[in-house]
Amino acid sequence: MAEDATRLHTRGCPFINASAEFPDADGPVRAVVRRHRDWFRETLTALATAAGSPDPGATAAGLVLLRDAMLVGSYLDGGDVAASFRATARTVAGLSAQ
């Protein structure tokens, strides 16, 4: 995720950006954004479950929130956020700080 944000999403998250441009929560753009976010959260929940997380839903929610922050921070601050994201993501996921 850190590499994706700093290499491919240098203007922030396209889904966050689209939501800012189309703020109607019931509109078709936001429906696409919601489907993507649901898929992403479900994917992270499945990965956390497979990794033996004691609370996969909370782990996934924390990682989604952290990714959102990283994508915005990467756009505003440049690649400096990648190392912080990696360290914090490992903590959220319950992994050692290797």
Side-chain angles (χ1 to χ4, degrees):
M1 284 188 266
E3 182 179 331
D4 180 70
T6 56
R7 193 171 61 89
L8 301 175
H9 293 293
T10 57
R11 296 203 42 144
C13 175
F15 293 98
I16 293 171
N17 294 344
S19 293
E21 294 295 323
F22 297 92
D24 178 7
D26 297 322
V29 171
R30 294 289 293 275
V32 170
V33 171
R34 173 60 38 216
R35 282 194 303 273
H36 171 73
R37 291 179 69 77
D38 288 347
W39 165 82
F40 186 60
R41 188 174 286 106
E42 290 167 7
T43 299
L44 291 175
T45 300
L47 290 169
T49 298
S53 171
D55 190 346
T59 298
L63 290 171
V64 169
L65 182 64
L66 184 60
R67 178 182 175 265
D68 289 346
M70 180 196 45
L71 286 165
V72 173
S74 180
Y75 175 56
L76 297 176
D77 301 328
D80 296 299
V81 300
S84 293
F85 170 80
R86 286 185 186 101
T88 306
R90 291 179 89 44
T91 299
V92 168
L95 301 171
S96 65
Q98 302 176 37

Coordinates of all heavy atoms in Angstrom, one line a residue:
M1 N 0.8 -1.2 0.0 CA 0.0 0.0 0.0 C 0.9 1.3 0.0 O 0.5 2.2 -0.7 CB -0.9 0.0 1.2 CG -2.1 -0.9 1.0 SD -3.3 -0.7 2.4 CE -2.8 -2.0 3.5
A2 N 2.0 1.2 0.7 CA 2.8 2.4 0.8 C 3.4 2.7 -0.6 O 3.5 3.8 -1.0 CB 3.9 2.2 1.8
E3 N 3.9 1.7 -1.2 CA 4.5 1.9 -2.6 C 3.4 2.3 -3.5 O 3.7 3.2 -4.4 CB 5.1 0.6 -3.1 CG 5.8 0.8 -4.4 CD 6.4 -0.5 -5.0 OE1 6.9 -1.3 -4.1 OE2 6.5 -0.6 -6.2
D4 N 2.2 1.8 -3.5 CA 1.1 2.2 -4.3 C 0.8 3.7 -4.2 O 0.7 4.4 -5.2 CB -0.1 1.4 -4.0 CG -1.3 1.7 -4.9 OD1 -1.3 1.4 -6.1 OD2 -2.2 2.3 -4.3
A5 N 0.8 4.1 -3.0 CA 0.5 5.5 -2.7 C 1.6 6.5 -3.2 O 1.3 7.5 -3.8 CB 0.2 5.8 -1.2
T6 N 2.8 6.1 -3.0 CA 3.9 7.0 -3.3 C 4.3 6.9 -4.8 O 4.9 7.8 -5.3 CB 5.1 6.8 -2.4 OG1 5.5 5.4 -2.5 CG2 4.8 7.1 -0.9
R7 N 4.0 5.8 -5.4 CA 4.4 5.6 -6.8 C 3.3 5.8 -7.8 O 3.5 6.4 -8.8 CB 5.0 4.2 -7.0 CG 5.7 4.0 -8.3 CD 6.5 2.7 -8.3 NE 5.6 1.5 -8.2 CZ 5.0 0.9 -9.2 NH1 5.2 1.3 -10.4 NH2 4.2 -0.1 -9.0
L8 N 2.1 5.3 -7.5 CA 1.0 5.4 -8.4 C -0.1 6.4 -8.1 O -0.8 6.8 -9.0 CB 0.3 4.0 -8.5 CG 1.2 2.8 -8.9 CD1 0.5 1.5 -8.8 CD2 1.8 3.0 -10.3
H9 N -0.2 6.8 -6.9 CA -1.3 7.8 -6.5 C -0.7 9.0 -6.0 O -0.9 9.5 -4.9 CB -2.2 7.1 -5.5 CG -3.0 6.0 -6.0 ND1 -4.0 6.2 -7.0 CD2 -2.9 4.7 -5.8 CE1 -4.5 5.0 -7.3 NE2 -3.9 4.1 -6.5
T10 N 0.1 9.7 -6.8 CA 0.8 10.9 -6.4 C -0.1 12.1 -6.3 O 0.3 13.1 -5.8 CB 2.0 11.2 -7.4 OG1 1.4 11.3 -8.7 CG2 3.0 10.1 -7.4
R11 N -1.3 12.0 -6.7 CA -2.3 13.0 -6.5 C -3.4 12.6 -5.5 O -4.5 13.1 -5.6 CB -2.9 13.4 -7.9 CG -1.8 14.0 -8.8 CD -2.4 14.8 -9.9 NE -3.4 15.7 -9.3 CZ -3.5 16.9 -9.7 NH1 -2.7 17.4 -10.6 NH2 -4.5 17.7 -9.3
G12 N -3.0 11.7 -4.7 CA -4.0 11.3 -3.7 C -4.8 10.1 -4.2 O -4.6 9.6 -5.2
C13 N -5.8 9.7 -3.4 CA -6.7 8.6 -3.7 C -7.8 9.1 -4.7 O -8.5 10.0 -4.4 CB -7.3 8.1 -2.4 SG -8.6 6.8 -2.7
P14 N -7.9 8.4 -5.8 CA -8.9 8.8 -6.8 C -10.3 8.7 -6.2 O -11.2 9.4 -6.6 CB -8.7 7.9 -8.0 CG -7.9 6.8 -7.5 CD -7.1 7.3 -6.3
F15 N -10.5 7.7 -5.3 CA -11.9 7.6 -4.7 C -12.2 8.7 -3.7 O -13.3 9.2 -3.6 CB -12.0 6.2 -4.1 CG -11.9 5.1 -5.1 CD1 -10.7 4.4 -5.3 CD2 -13.0 4.7 -5.8 CE1 -10.7 3.4 -6.3 CE2 -13.0 3.7 -6.8 CZ -11.8 3.0 -7.0
I16 N -11.2 9.1 -2.9 CA -11.4 10.2 -2.0 C -11.6 11.5 -2.8 O -12.5 12.3 -2.5 CB -10.2 10.3 -1.1 CG1 -10.1 9.2 -0.1 CG2 -10.3 11.7 -0.3 CD1 -8.8 9.1 0.7
N17 N -10.8 11.6 -3.9 CA -11.0 12.8 -4.7 C -12.3 12.9 -5.4 O -13.0 13.9 -5.4 CB -9.9 12.9 -5.8 CG -8.5 13.1 -5.2 OD1 -8.3 13.4 -4.0 ND2 -7.5 12.7 -6.0
A18 N -12.8 11.7 -5.9 CA -14.1 11.7 -6.5 C -15.2 12.0 -5.5 O -16.2 12.7 -5.8 CB -14.4 10.3 -7.1
S19 N -15.1 11.5 -4.3 CA -16.0 11.8 -3.2 C -16.1 13.3 -2.9 O -17.1 13.8 -2.6 CB -15.7 11.0 -2.0 OG -15.9 9.6 -2.2
A20 N -14.9 13.9 -2.9 CA -14.9 15.4 -2.6 C -15.6 16.2 -3.7 O -16.3 17.2 -3.5 CB -13.5 15.8 -2.5
E21 N -15.5 15.7 -5.0 CA -16.1 16.4 -6.1 C -17.6 16.1 -6.2 O -18.3 16.9 -6.8 CB -15.4 16.0 -7.4 CG -13.9 16.5 -7.5 CD -13.8 18.0 -7.5 OE1 -14.7 18.7 -8.1 OE2 -12.9 18.5 -6.9
F22 N -18.0 14.9 -5.8 CA -19.4 14.5 -5.8 C -19.9 14.2 -4.4 O -20.0 13.0 -4.1 CB -19.5 13.3 -6.8 CG -19.1 13.6 -8.2 CD1 -17.8 13.4 -8.6 CD2 -20.1 14.1 -9.1 CE1 -17.5 13.7 -9.9 CE2 -19.7 14.4 -10.4 CZ -18.4 14.3 -10.8
P23 N -20.2 15.2 -3.6 CA -20.5 14.9 -2.2 C -21.9 14.3 -1.9 O -22.1 13.9 -0.8 CB -20.4 16.3 -1.6 CG -20.7 17.2 -2.7 CD -20.2 16.6 -4.0
D24 N -22.7 14.1 -2.9 CA -24.0 13.5 -2.7 C -23.8 12.0 -2.3 O -23.5 11.2 -3.2 CB -24.9 13.6 -3.9 CG -26.3 13.0 -3.8 OD1 -26.6 12.5 -2.7 OD2 -27.0 12.9 -4.8
A25 N -24.1 11.7 -1.1 CA -23.8 10.4 -0.5 C -24.7 9.3 -1.2 O -24.4 8.1 -1.2 CB -24.0 10.3 1.0
D26 N -25.8 9.7 -1.8 CA -26.7 8.8 -2.5 C -26.5 8.8 -4.0 O -27.3 8.1 -4.7 CB -28.2 9.1 -2.2 CG -28.4 9.0 -0.7 OD1 -27.9 8.0 -0.1 OD2 -29.2 9.8 -0.1
G27 N -25.6 9.5 -4.5 CA -25.4 9.6 -6.0 C -24.6 8.4 -6.5 O -24.0 7.6 -5.8
P28 N -24.6 8.3 -7.8 CA -23.9 7.2 -8.5 C -22.4 7.1 -8.3 O -21.8 6.0 -8.2 CB -24.3 7.3 -10.0 CG -24.6 8.8 -10.1 CD -25.2 9.2 -8.8
V29 N -21.7 8.3 -8.2 CA -20.3 8.3 -8.0 C -20.0 7.7 -6.6 O -19.1 6.8 -6.5 CB -19.7 9.7 -8.2 CG1 -18.2 9.7 -7.7 CG2 -19.8 10.1 -9.6
R30 N -20.7 8.2 -5.6 CA -20.5 7.7 -4.3 C -20.8 6.2 -4.1 O -20.2 5.5 -3.3 CB -21.2 8.5 -3.3 CG -20.7 9.9 -3.2 CD -19.4 10.1 -2.5 NE -19.4 9.7 -1.1 CZ -19.7 10.6 -0.1 NH1 -20.0 11.8 -0.4 NH2 -19.7 10.2 1.1
A31 N -21.8 5.7 -5.0 CA -22.1 4.3 -4.9 C -20.9 3.4 -5.4 O -20.6 2.4 -4.8 CB -23.3 4.0 -5.8
V32 N -20.2 3.9 -6.4 CA -19.0 3.3 -6.9 C -17.9 3.3 -5.9 O -17.2 2.3 -5.6 CB -18.5 3.9 -8.2 CG1 -17.1 3.4 -8.6 CG2 -19.5 3.7 -9.4
V33 N -17.7 4.4 -5.2 CA -16.7 4.6 -4.2 C -17.1 3.6 -3.0 O -16.2 2.9 -2.5 CB -16.7 6.0 -3.7 CG1 -15.8 6.1 -2.4 CG2 -16.1 7.0 -4.8
R34 N -18.3 3.5 -2.6 CA -18.7 2.6 -1.5 C -18.4 1.2 -1.9 O -17.9 0.4 -1.0 CB -20.2 2.8 -1.2 CG -20.8 1.9 -0.3 CD -20.3 1.8 1.1 NE -19.9 3.1 1.7 CZ -18.8 3.3 2.5 NH1 -18.1 2.3 2.8 NH2 -18.5 4.5 2.9
R35 N -18.7 0.8 -3.1 CA -18.5 -0.6 -3.5 C -17.0 -0.9 -3.4 O -16.6 -2.0 -3.0 CB -19.0 -0.9 -4.9 CG -20.5 -1.1 -5.0 CD -20.9 -1.7 -6.3 NE -20.6 -0.9 -7.5 CZ -21.3 0.1 -8.0 NH1 -22.4 0.4 -7.4 NH2 -20.9 0.7 -9.1
H36 N -16.2 0.0 -3.9 CA -14.7 -0.2 -3.8 C -14.2 -0.3 -2.4 O -13.4 -1.2 -2.0 CB -14.0 1.0 -4.5 CG -12.5 0.9 -4.3 ND1 -11.7 0.0 -4.9 CD2 -11.7 1.6 -3.5 CE1 -10.4 0.1 -4.5 NE2 -10.4 1.1 -3.6
R37 N -14.7 0.6 -1.5 CA -14.3 0.6 -0.1 C -14.8 -0.7 0.6 O -14.0 -1.2 1.4 CB -14.8 1.9 0.6 CG -14.0 3.1 0.1 CD -14.5 4.4 0.8 NE -14.1 4.4 2.2 CZ -12.9 4.7 2.6 NH1 -11.9 5.0 1.8 NH2 -12.7 4.8 3.9
D38 N -16.0 -1.1 0.3 CA -16.5 -2.4 0.9 C -15.6 -3.5 0.4 O -15.2 -4.4 1.3 CB -17.9 -2.6 0.4 CG -18.9 -1.7 1.1 OD1 -18.6 -1.0 2.1 OD2 -20.1 -1.6 0.6
W39 N -15.3 -3.6 -0.9 CA -14.4 -4.7 -1.4 C -13.0 -4.6 -0.7 O -12.5 -5.7 -0.2 CB -14.2 -4.5 -2.9 CG -13.1 -5.3 -3.4 CD1 -13.1 -6.7 -3.7 CD2 -11.7 -4.9 -3.6 NE1 -11.8 -7.1 -4.0 CE2 -11.0 -6.0 -4.0 CE3 -11.1 -3.7 -3.4 CZ2 -9.6 -6.0 -4.3 CZ3 -9.7 -3.6 -3.7 CH2 -9.0 -4.7 -4.1
F40 N -12.5 -3.4 -0.5 CA -11.2 -3.3 0.1 C -11.2 -3.7 1.5 O -10.3 -4.5 2.0 CB -10.7 -1.8 -0.1 CG -9.3 -1.6 0.4 CD1 -8.2 -2.3 -0.2 CD2 -9.0 -0.7 1.4 CE1 -6.9 -2.1 0.3 CE2 -7.7 -0.5 1.9 CZ -6.6 -1.2 1.3
R41 N -12.2 -3.3 2.3 CA -12.3 -3.6 3.7 C -12.5 -5.2 3.8 O -12.0 -5.8 4.7 CB -13.5 -2.9 4.3 CG -13.6 -3.1 5.8 CD -14.6 -2.2 6.5 NE -14.2 -0.8 6.5 CZ -14.6 0.2 5.7 NH1 -15.6 0.0 4.8 NH2 -14.1 1.4 5.8
E42 N -13.4 -5.7 3.0 CA -13.6 -7.2 3.0 C -12.3 -8.0 2.7 O -12.0 -9.0 3.3 CB -14.7 -7.6 2.0 CG -16.1 -7.1 2.5 CD -17.1 -7.2 1.4 OE1 -16.8 -7.8 0.3 OE2 -18.2 -6.7 1.6
T43 N -11.5 -7.5 1.8 CA -10.3 -8.1 1.4 C -9.3 -8.1 2.6 O -8.7 -9.1 3.0 CB -9.6 -7.4 0.2 OG1 -10.5 -7.6 -0.9 CG2 -8.3 -8.0 -0.2
L44 N -9.2 -6.9 3.2 CA -8.3 -6.8 4.4 C -8.8 -7.7 5.6 O -8.0 -8.2 6.3 CB -8.2 -5.3 4.8 CG -7.4 -4.5 3.9 CD1 -7.4 -3.0 4.4 CD2 -6.0 -4.9 3.7
T45 N -10.1 -7.7 5.7 CA -10.7 -8.6 6.8 C -10.4 -10.0 6.6 O -10.0 -10.7 7.5 CB -12.2 -8.4 6.9 OG1 -12.5 -7.0 7.2 CG2 -12.8 -9.3 8.0
A46 N -10.5 -10.5 5.3 CA -10.1 -11.9 5.0 C -8.6 -12.1 5.2 O -8.3 -13.2 5.8 CB -10.5 -12.2 3.5
L47 N -7.8 -11.2 4.8 CA -6.4 -11.4 5.1 C -6.0 -11.4 6.6 O -5.2 -12.2 7.0 CB -5.6 -10.2 4.4 CG -5.5 -10.3 2.9 CD1 -5.0 -9.0 2.3 CD2 -4.7 -11.5 2.4
A48 N -6.7 -10.5 7.3 CA -6.5 -10.5 8.8 C -7.0 -11.8 9.4 O -6.3 -12.3 10.4 CB -7.1 -9.3 9.4
T49 N -8.1 -12.3 8.9 CA -8.6 -13.6 9.5 C -7.6 -14.7 9.2 O -7.3 -15.5 10.1 CB -10.0 -13.9 8.8 OG1 -10.9 -12.8 9.2 CG2 -10.5 -15.2 9.3
A50 N -7.1 -14.7 7.9 CA -6.2 -15.8 7.6 C -4.9 -15.7 8.3 O -4.2 -16.7 8.6 CB -5.9 -15.7 6.1
A51 N -4.5 -14.5 8.8 CA -3.3 -14.2 9.5 C -3.5 -14.5 11.0 O -2.5 -14.4 11.8 CB -2.8 -12.8 9.3
G52 N -4.7 -14.8 11.4 CA -5.0 -15.1 12.8 C -5.2 -13.9 13.7 O -5.1 -14.0 14.9
S53 N -5.6 -12.8 13.1 CA -5.9 -11.6 13.9 C -7.1 -11.9 14.9 O -8.1 -12.5 14.6 CB -6.4 -10.5 13.0 OG -6.9 -9.4 13.7
P54 N -6.9 -11.5 16.2 CA -8.0 -11.7 17.1 C -9.3 -10.9 16.8 O -10.3 -11.3 17.2 CB -7.4 -11.3 18.5 CG -6.2 -10.4 18.1 CD -5.8 -10.8 16.7
D55 N -9.1 -9.8 16.1 CA -10.3 -9.0 15.7 C -10.1 -8.5 14.3 O -9.7 -7.3 14.0 CB -10.5 -7.8 16.7 CG -11.8 -7.1 16.5 OD1 -12.5 -7.3 15.4 OD2 -12.2 -6.3 17.3
P56 N -10.3 -9.4 13.3 CA -10.1 -9.0 11.9 C -10.8 -7.8 11.4 O -10.2 -7.0 10.6 CB -10.5 -10.3 11.1 CG -10.6 -11.4 12.1 CD -10.8 -10.7 13.4
G57 N -12.0 -7.6 11.8 CA -12.8 -6.4 11.4 C -12.1 -5.1 11.9 O -12.0 -4.2 11.1
A58 N -11.7 -5.1 13.1 CA -11.0 -3.9 13.7 C -9.7 -3.7 13.0 O -9.3 -2.5 12.7 CB -10.9 -4.1 15.2
T59 N -9.0 -4.8 12.7 CA -7.7 -4.6 12.0 C -7.9 -4.0 10.6 O -7.2 -3.1 10.2 CB -7.0 -6.0 11.9 OG1 -6.7 -6.5 13.2 CG2 -5.7 -5.9 11.1
A60 N -8.9 -4.6 9.9 CA -9.2 -4.0 8.6 C -9.6 -2.6 8.6 O -9.2 -1.8 7.8 CB -10.3 -4.9 7.9
A61 N -10.5 -2.2 9.6 CA -11.0 -0.9 9.7 C -9.8 0.1 10.0 O -9.7 1.2 9.4 CB -12.0 -0.8 10.8
G62 N -8.9 -0.3 10.8 CA -7.7 0.5 11.1 C -6.8 0.7 9.9 O -6.3 1.8 9.7
L63 N -6.7 -0.4 9.2 CA -5.8 -0.3 8.0 C -6.4 0.6 6.9 O -5.7 1.3 6.2 CB -5.5 -1.7 7.4 CG -4.5 -2.5 8.3 CD1 -4.4 -3.9 7.8 CD2 -3.2 -1.9 8.4
V64 N -7.8 0.5 6.7 CA -8.5 1.3 5.8 C -8.3 2.8 6.2 O -7.9 3.7 5.3 CB -9.9 1.0 5.6 CG1 -10.7 2.0 4.9 CG2 -10.1 -0.4 5.0
L65 N -8.5 3.1 7.4 CA -8.3 4.5 7.9 C -6.9 5.0 7.7 O -6.6 6.1 7.2 CB -8.7 4.6 9.4 CG -8.6 5.9 10.0 CD1 -9.7 6.9 9.4 CD2 -8.9 5.8 11.5
L66 N -5.9 4.1 8.0 CA -4.5 4.4 7.9 C -4.2 4.7 6.4 O -3.4 5.6 6.0 CB -3.7 3.4 8.5 CG -2.2 3.6 8.5 CD1 -1.8 4.9 9.3 CD2 -1.5 2.4 9.1
R67 N -4.7 3.8 5.5 CA -4.5 4.0 4.1 C -5.0 5.3 3.6 O -4.4 6.0 2.8 CB -5.1 2.8 3.3 CG -4.9 3.0 1.8 CD -5.5 1.8 1.1 NE -5.5 2.0 -0.4 CZ -6.4 2.5 -1.1 NH1 -7.5 3.0 -0.6 NH2 -6.3 2.6 -2.4
D68 N -6.2 5.6 4.0 CA -6.8 6.9 3.6 C -5.9 8.1 4.0 O -5.6 9.0 3.2 CB -8.2 7.1 4.3 CG -9.3 6.2 3.7 OD1 -9.1 5.6 2.6 OD2 -10.3 6.2 4.4
A69 N -5.4 8.0 5.2 CA -4.5 9.1 5.7 C -3.2 9.1 4.9 O -2.7 10.2 4.6 CB -4.3 8.9 7.2
M70 N -2.7 7.9 4.6 CA -1.5 7.9 3.9 C -1.6 8.5 2.5 O -0.8 9.2 2.0 CB -0.9 6.5 3.8 CG 0.4 6.4 3.0 SD 0.8 4.8 2.4 CE -0.6 4.1 1.8
L71 N -2.7 8.1 1.8 CA -2.9 8.6 0.5 C -3.1 10.2 0.4 O -2.5 10.8 -0.4 CB -4.2 8.0 -0.2 CG -4.0 6.5 -0.6 CD1 -5.3 5.9 -0.8 CD2 -3.1 6.4 -1.8
V72 N -3.8 10.7 1.4 CA -3.9 12.2 1.5 C -2.5 12.8 1.9 O -2.0 13.7 1.3 CB -5.0 12.6 2.5 CG1 -5.0 14.1 2.7 CG2 -6.3 12.1 2.0
G73 N -1.9 12.2 2.9 CA -0.6 12.7 3.3 C 0.5 12.6 2.2 O 1.3 13.4 2.1
S74 N 0.5 11.5 1.5 CA 1.4 11.3 0.4 C 1.3 12.4 -0.7 O 2.3 12.9 -1.2 CB 1.2 9.9 -0.3 OG 2.2 9.7 -1.3
Y75 N 0.1 12.8 -1.0 CA -0.2 13.9 -1.9 C 0.3 15.2 -1.4 O 0.9 16.0 -2.1 CB -1.7 13.9 -2.3 CG -2.0 15.1 -3.2 CD1 -1.4 15.2 -4.4 CD2 -3.0 15.9 -2.8 CE1 -1.8 16.3 -5.2 CE2 -3.4 17.0 -3.6 CZ -2.7 17.2 -4.8 OH -3.1 18.2 -5.7
L76 N 0.0 15.4 -0.1 CA 0.4 16.7 0.5 C 1.8 16.8 0.9 O 2.4 17.9 0.8 CB -0.5 17.0 1.7 CG -2.0 17.1 1.5 CD1 -2.8 17.3 2.8 CD2 -2.3 18.2 0.5
D77 N 2.4 15.7 1.4 CA 3.8 15.7 1.9 C 4.8 15.0 1.1 O 6.0 15.0 1.5 CB 3.8 15.2 3.3 CG 2.8 15.9 4.3 OD1 2.7 17.1 4.1 OD2 2.3 15.3 5.2
G78 N 4.4 14.3 0.1 CA 5.3 13.5 -0.7 C 5.6 12.2 -0.1 O 4.9 11.7 0.8
G79 N 6.6 11.5 -0.6 CA 6.9 10.1 -0.1 C 7.3 9.9 1.3 O 7.5 8.8 1.7
D80 N 7.5 11.0 2.0 CA 7.9 10.9 3.4 C 6.9 10.1 4.3 O 7.3 9.7 5.4 CB 8.0 12.3 4.1 CG 9.1 13.1 3.4 OD1 10.3 12.7 3.4 OD2 8.8 14.2 2.8
V81 N 5.7 9.9 3.9 CA 4.8 9.2 4.7 C 4.9 7.7 4.6 O 4.3 7.0 5.5 CB 3.3 9.6 4.3 CG1 3.1 11.1 4.5 CG2 2.9 9.2 2.9
A82 N 5.6 7.1 3.7 CA 5.7 5.7 3.5 C 6.2 4.9 4.7 O 5.7 3.9 5.1 CB 6.4 5.4 2.2
A83 N 7.3 5.4 5.2 CA 7.9 4.7 6.3 C 7.0 4.8 7.6 O 6.9 3.8 8.3 CB 9.3 5.4 6.7
S84 N 6.4 5.9 7.8 CA 5.4 6.0 8.9 C 4.3 5.1 8.7 O 3.8 4.5 9.7 CB 5.0 7.5 9.1 OG 6.0 8.3 9.5
F85 N 3.8 5.0 7.5 CA 2.7 4.1 7.2 C 3.0 2.7 7.5 O 2.3 2.0 8.2 CB 2.2 4.3 5.7 CG 1.2 3.2 5.4 CD1 -0.1 3.3 5.7 CD2 1.6 2.0 4.7 CE1 -1.0 2.3 5.4 CE2 0.8 1.0 4.4 CZ -0.6 1.1 4.7
R86 N 4.2 2.3 7.0 CA 4.6 0.9 7.2 C 4.7 0.5 8.7 O 4.2 -0.5 9.1 CB 5.9 0.6 6.5 CG 5.8 0.5 5.0 CD 7.2 0.1 4.4 NE 7.1 0.2 2.9 CZ 7.5 1.2 2.2 NH1 8.1 2.2 2.8 NH2 7.4 1.1 0.9
A87 N 5.3 1.4 9.5 CA 5.5 1.1 10.9 C 4.1 1.1 11.6 O 3.9 0.2 12.4 CB 6.4 2.2 11.5
T88 N 3.3 2.0 11.3 CA 2.0 2.1 11.9 C 1.1 1.0 11.5 O 0.4 0.4 12.3 CB 1.3 3.5 11.7 OG1 2.2 4.5 12.0 CG2 0.0 3.6 12.5
A89 N 1.1 0.6 10.2 CA 0.3 -0.5 9.7 C 0.7 -1.8 10.4 O -0.1 -2.7 10.7 CB 0.5 -0.7 8.2
R90 N 2.0 -2.0 10.7 CA 2.5 -3.2 11.3 C 1.9 -3.3 12.8 O 1.5 -4.3 13.3 CB 4.0 -3.3 11.4 CG 4.6 -3.6 10.0 CD 6.1 -3.6 10.0 NE 6.7 -4.9 10.2 CZ 6.4 -6.1 9.7 NH1 5.4 -6.2 8.9 NH2 7.1 -7.1 9.9
T91 N 1.9 -2.1 13.4 CA 1.3 -2.0 14.8 C -0.2 -2.4 14.7 O -0.7 -3.2 15.5 CB 1.5 -0.7 15.4 OG1 2.9 -0.4 15.5 CG2 0.9 -0.5 16.8
V92 N -0.9 -1.7 13.8 CA -2.4 -2.0 13.7 C -2.6 -3.4 13.4 O -3.6 -4.0 13.9 CB -3.0 -1.1 12.5 CG1 -4.4 -1.5 12.2 CG2 -2.9 0.4 13.0
A93 N -1.8 -4.1 12.6 CA -2.0 -5.5 12.2 C -1.5 -6.4 13.3 O -1.7 -7.6 13.2 CB -1.3 -5.8 10.9
G94 N -0.9 -5.9 14.3 CA -0.4 -6.7 15.4 C 0.9 -7.5 15.1 O 1.2 -8.5 15.6
L95 N 1.7 -6.9 14.2 CA 2.9 -7.5 13.8 C 4.1 -6.8 14.5 O 4.0 -5.7 14.9 CB 3.1 -7.4 12.3 CG 2.1 -8.0 11.4 CD1 2.3 -7.6 9.9 CD2 2.0 -9.5 11.5
S96 N 5.2 -7.5 14.6 CA 6.3 -6.9 15.2 C 6.9 -5.8 14.4 O 6.6 -5.7 13.2 CB 7.4 -8.0 15.5 OG 7.9 -8.4 14.2
A97 N 7.7 -4.9 14.9 CA 8.2 -3.8 14.2 C 9.5 -4.1 13.5 O 10.4 -3.3 13.4 CB 8.5 -2.6 15.2
Q98 N 9.6 -5.3 12.9 CA 10.8 -5.7 12.1 C 11.2 -4.7 11.2 O 10.6 -4.2 10.4 CB 10.5 -7.0 11.4 CG 10.0 -8.1 12.3 CD 9.6 -9.3 11.5 OE1 10.3 -9.7 10.5 NE2 8.6 -10.0 11.9

